[in-house]
Amino acid sequence: MNQPMPSFRSALIASAALLLAGVAAADTLRRGAVAEPNSLDPQIVSGASSTIMRDLFTGLTSYDSAGRLVPGAAESWEISADGLTYRFRLRENLKWSDGSPIAAKDFVYTLRRLLTPGNRTRFGSFFYSIRNARSIMSGELDPADLGVRAENGRTVVIELERPDATLLEKLSNYAAAAMPQAVIEEHGRRWSRPGRLVTTGPYRLAEWVPQSYLKLEKNPHFYAADEIEIETVQYFPTNNAETAMRRFLAGDLDFLLTFPADRMDWIEENLPGQLKIWPALGISYITFNNRKPPFDDVRVRRALTISVDRQQIADRIMVVGVPAAHTMTPSVVSNYDHPVPDYARQPMPDRLAEARSLLEAAGYGPDRPLTFELRYEPPEENRRLAIALQAIWREIGVNAELLFTDFGTLYRSVRTGDYTAARFTWFSPTDSPETFLFILESGSTTNYSGYNNPEFNRLIALAEAQLDRDARLAAYREAEALALADYPVMPLYFMVHRNLVAPDIRGYTPNSRGMTATRYLHRVK
Amino acid sequence: MLRRMLAFTLRRLVVAIPTLLAIATASFFLMRAAPGGPFDTEADLDPEVLENLYTAYGLDKPLLEQYGVYLANVLKGDFGPSLVYEDFNVTELIAIGLPVSARLGVIAMLVALLLGGTCGIVAALRHNRLFDHATMTMAMTGIAIPSFVTAPILALFFGLYLKLLPVAGWNDGAAANMVLPVIALALPQLAIIARLMRGGMLEVLRANFVRTARAKGLPERQVVINHVLQSAAVPLVGYLGPALAGIMTGSLVIELIFDLPGVGRYFIQGALNRDYPLVMGIVIVYGTLIILLNLLSDLAYAALDPRVRRTYR
């Protein structure tokens, strides 16, 4: 079987020729390494599919090619002096992808639907600052009581319970884009299929074969359709990053949203210029369960936190150019002065010595070593991280037992508080410290550590109520510094976006939000 | 004879019903016993949102009630909505994925049978000669090397190095996209089939009735074709039923490595995300296929071996 039969070989060559002929037309784009969407309903789809969804739906606001906030379906807006009333003016001749007009009432429908219990919607809590939103979501009030109304055909008014500095950013989310009430009511759960899904964004859905591909074509009724060069974009979901990488190398895919971390060196050497890597609004951290031993003792938390050299972790273990983290709020968050704790500037030998004495004071030593379970989840790079931490902590006499679980098990265990320590990732939808600090606020959904500091909560509430940006960020800073001194969680490193982009693709500036909207991309000849 | 076989088939089909029920019951409760729930991978859902999701999918009801509702729906042919692919019903997803997996599986099995069977026969006829040792060494290697090793190597060599074939993707079932997955699927099967066929042949070649046939003065070619092959294939037939069911319902590894929209990927995504209806649906389809193909292979047994036929009642 070493020599293929001549006819077999010619069949192979013929099929390869066919394949190559079909690739890389100038106005098409093939994107990979995305997750298969759990739904194409913009209010049901999970955050993992945001790149696809932003190609399909545009909210009142939007982002430009560098991730800066720009007008979307609304051409302009006014904010009242108390920061509680937003008045949006829609663009003239705004249309659905089927050509019929979009009116202000469509946005009212969208936000009411988003907050109505029983609709399987995911992003309702983004908009809890809107008047009555939370009470509607919990079933106490009727959706009609929501603080959103259509003043006339082109004016949407949103009334808030409290000032919300990130509302404009959040309104760019597809979950708050106009949605076609008539289509949804006619087709129910299946309204998101090709031929039915009516969109408002730069593209509309042409085909969807689950686990195979989604094909999007330019929406001729989009307000900026004239500026779009890519006529057709196909998304190829994959569960295997190596496969996506091979398809990219074979020229089958033009744009990968991520790639395997251990290929970093090879890519830097062989594909310079195709690698786009930059800081993201995300953090990787260890959450300690503050409610029970051993982590109810601040000395133990401090000892573990100061004994790890973050720069080493970032450079030697993670290898994908991640910034070291000593705070919860990433360094890339705009206009924020990061309260970096003092230990970060101390030499490592001193930190290790202090960690040992802290553990001794807490009652641990050679005859009674601190032993605990550290949970972590896929992908493979987390295993490397966990093993490195285990080795580092062994130096100060701590025995970390590693427990590898799938996502579901890990999330369930931290949510119910049934864990000791776990590695976790958080990405923020907004360029602000707010959601990073929610992680430490009492009663917050993402507060897995159980950290509870009334003074911290008070400072956060103070920050939220501040209309002035600098005063708000200063209050956040004070709150973060206060919490970090209690070591409730251990920041490890900040996340990065890492894309692989074919050399002939142009049109976007890497940005912390990871916005790579297809509408701005184009090919150079 | 035909009546006895018919009765045998009917009896087996009737017995299949409690078997499937047992499979469905066991997998229902095993799935529920696994830690975590269907929407746990979306880490940041608010408690209200999560509660709404559970209500919307009836997951807030008592477990026994959910089980009853599930069984009643399955009897009506409704596997329910998927919890991971929320715009689809489980039946729709299986209808999308199973044909892909089945097509690849059947082609791979045919290739494996043709090549593996031939190798096994020739190896047995050249017993202890160079061809025999060479093919059996290759077969052992084929069994020993897992497909998560062969598949990427195939993709790298034929796709990236020679640039002859696509490295991955389904491309709506284009022939070029099927070549590498079929090879990767067929290789281990080919090796097993070659060994089974050779073993069967060697045993039969030494049997008395073969010696008799030779003594009658039949040419060796006729001895092999008319007398040996039929009996030698018996162990292989027993293997083929479950193996075909396995390969048709999708190889997770192959589907992942070649980005194929088969049912194997649904199964693992379903299991990882606790998509109870999806996993249950695939388990029931898989169970049914195994039962049917086992029955077929038992019938084929009987057709090949009169002694076996007599034991069926």
Side-chain angles (χ1 to χ4, degrees), chain B residues 28-42:
Chain B
F28 183 91
F29 289 101
L30 276 176
M31 277 294 287
R32 297 312 176 96
F39 308 103
D40 282 348
T41 47
E42 297 171 62

Side-chain angles (χ1 to χ4, degrees), chain A residues 20 25-26 56 58 160 175 199 246 317 430 458 483:
Chain A
L20 293 173
L56 289 170
T58 299
L160 304 186
T199 66
R246 275 196 291 275
I317 308 297
T430 59
R458 192 187 65 81

Side-chain angles (χ1 to χ4, degrees), chain B residues 2-66:
Chain B
L2 192 68
R3 260 182 68 191
R4 190 192 280 182
M5 295 305 278
L6 211 64
F8 169 76
T9 309
L10 270 177
R11 203 169 316 115
R12 285 278 293 262
L13 289 177
V14 171
V15 174
I17 295 170
T19 311
L20 280 174
L21 189 71
I23 292 172
T25 309
S27 45
F28 183 91
F29 289 101
L30 276 176
M31 277 294 287
R32 297 312 176 96
F39 308 103
D40 282 348
T41 47
E42 297 171 62
D44 45 336
L45 292 185
D46 252 43
E48 284 105 336
V49 171
L50 200 60
E51 202 176 300
N52 282 331
L53 282 168
Y54 272 71
T55 315
Y57 286 110
L59 296 170
D60 54 338
K61 300 202 180 79
L63 198 57
L64 275 179
E65 189 184 334
Q66 288 184 47

Side-chain angles (χ1 to χ4, degrees), chain B residues 6 14 40 55 60 70 108 120 123 127 157 182 222 239 250 279-280 301:
Chain B
L6 211 64
V14 171
D40 282 348
T55 315
D60 54 338
Y70 182 76
H127 185 43
F157 186 71
V182 163
Q222 277 194 35
Y239 168 76
V279 171
M280 298 282 300
Y301 250 146

Side-chain angles (χ1 to χ4, degrees), chain A residues 231-452:
Chain A
E231 295 281 335
T232 313
V233 54
Q234 263 180 293
Y235 283 95
F236 295 86
T238 178
N239 306 111
N240 187 306
E242 283 289 348
T243 299
M245 177 88 189
R246 275 196 291 275
R247 295 182 76 170
F248 180 81
L249 292 176
D252 186 26
L253 297 177
D254 304 309
F255 198 123
L256 296 191
L257 276 180
T258 185
F259 58 81
D262 50 12
R263 301 295 291 272
M264 182 75 183
D265 288 344
W266 188 90
I267 293 168
E268 275 187 316
E269 200 169 306
N270 295 283
L271 306 172
Q274 303 187 35
L275 170 69
K276 310 272 180 203
I277 194 156
W278 69 100
L281 294 162
I283 185 170
S284 167
Y285 67 100
I286 301 240
T287 173
F288 299 122
N289 192 343
N290 287 220
R291 304 174 197 88
K292 60 184 192 189
F295 295 119
D296 55 349
D297 186 337
V298 64
R299 292 171 297 191
V300 177
R301 301 196 300 263
R302 178 170 162 90
L304 293 197
T305 305
I306 64 173
S307 57
V308 176
D309 184 343
R310 310 301 208 285
Q311 205 58 51
Q312 286 241 8
I313 294 282
D315 297 345
R316 309 255 306 267
I317 308 297
M318 298 318 292
V319 304
V320 283
V322 297
H326 295 95
T327 58
M328 286 305 280
T329 307
S331 34
V332 73
V333 166
S334 308
N335 308 311
Y336 185 64
D337 178 20
H338 293 79
V340 177
D342 291 336
Y343 74 83
R345 281 178 281 270
Q346 285 165 4
M348 275 318 292
D350 295 2
R351 281 160 63 173
L352 288 173
E354 192 197 333
R356 285 194 195 94
S357 54
L358 279 167
L359 286 172
E360 204 178 322
Y364 300 100
D367 19 304
R368 185 175 170 252
L370 169 63
T371 300
F372 70 96
E373 184 183 81
L374 175 66
R375 293 180 177 231
Y376 68 103
E377 76 318 7
E380 187 56 31
E381 49 206 84
N382 288 340
R383 187 189 301 273
R384 275 208 310 271
L385 175 67
I387 291 171
L389 289 173
Q390 189 183 42
I392 291 168
W393 284 329
R394 197 173 289 136
E395 293 291 301
I396 55 167
V398 172
N399 179 21
E401 291 165 352
L402 305 184
L403 180 68
F404 180 78
T405 69
D406 61 74
F407 286 99
T409 311
L410 180 80
Y411 292 154
R412 173 62 65 95
S413 64
V414 295
R415 189 181 281 146
T416 53
D418 180 23
Y419 76 104
T420 313
R423 195 217 69 98
F424 227 79
T425 307
W426 175 251
F427 278 97
S428 167
T430 59
D431 181 6
S432 151
E434 122 184 285
T435 65
F436 295 102
L437 300 186
F438 279 171
I439 292 170
L440 304 172
E441 195 181 351
S442 318
S444 143
T445 316
T446 46
N447 182 350
Y448 306 120
S449 66
Y451 178 64
N452 181 9

Side-chain angles (χ1 to χ4, degrees), chain A residues 1 3-15, chain B residues 158 164-165 179-180 183:
Chain A
M1 282 308 293
Q3 286 287 318
M5 314 251 292
S7 60
F8 180 60
R9 176 181 278 174
S10 55
L12 285 186
I13 293 171
S15 50
Chain B
F158 290 100
L164 279 177
L165 291 164
V179 177
L180 293 182
I183 294 175

